[in-house]
């Protein structure tokens, strides 16, 4: 997934929540995960999958 597609997803999330006049912390966390795809998050997902 390229950075342009990730930015569009994030802008859609922000737009959806601004329409409701609220920006919860969970939304900002999701945006961070989508944009930067941190190593620790990938490790958590790998450890959750069955062996």
């Amino acid at each position: 997934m390229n950075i342009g597609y990730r930015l569009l997803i994030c802008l859609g999330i922000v737009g959806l929540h601004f329409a409701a006049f609220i920006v919860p912390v969970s939304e900002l966390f999701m945006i961070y995960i989508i944009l930067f795809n941190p190593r620790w998050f990938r490790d958590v997902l790998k450890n959750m999958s069955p062996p």
Side-chain angles (χ1 to χ4, degrees):
M1 183 181 321
N2 64 16
I3 192 72
Y5 188 65
R6 289 180 185 181
L7 283 173
L8 284 175
I9 291 172
C10 293
L11 287 175
I13 292 170
V14 170
L16 179 67
H17 284 282
F18 273 145
F21 303 107
I22 189 167
V23 181
V25 175
S26 60
E27 172 193 339
L28 297 176
F29 184 67
M30 285 190 312
I31 289 171
Y32 169 73
I33 296 292
I34 292 169
L35 277 179
F36 298 109
N37 196 14
R39 180 180 300 266
W40 61 267
F41 189 71
R42 289 191 308 261
D43 291 340
V44 167
L45 292 179
K46 266 193 235 175
N47 291 334
M48 286 176 49
S49 64

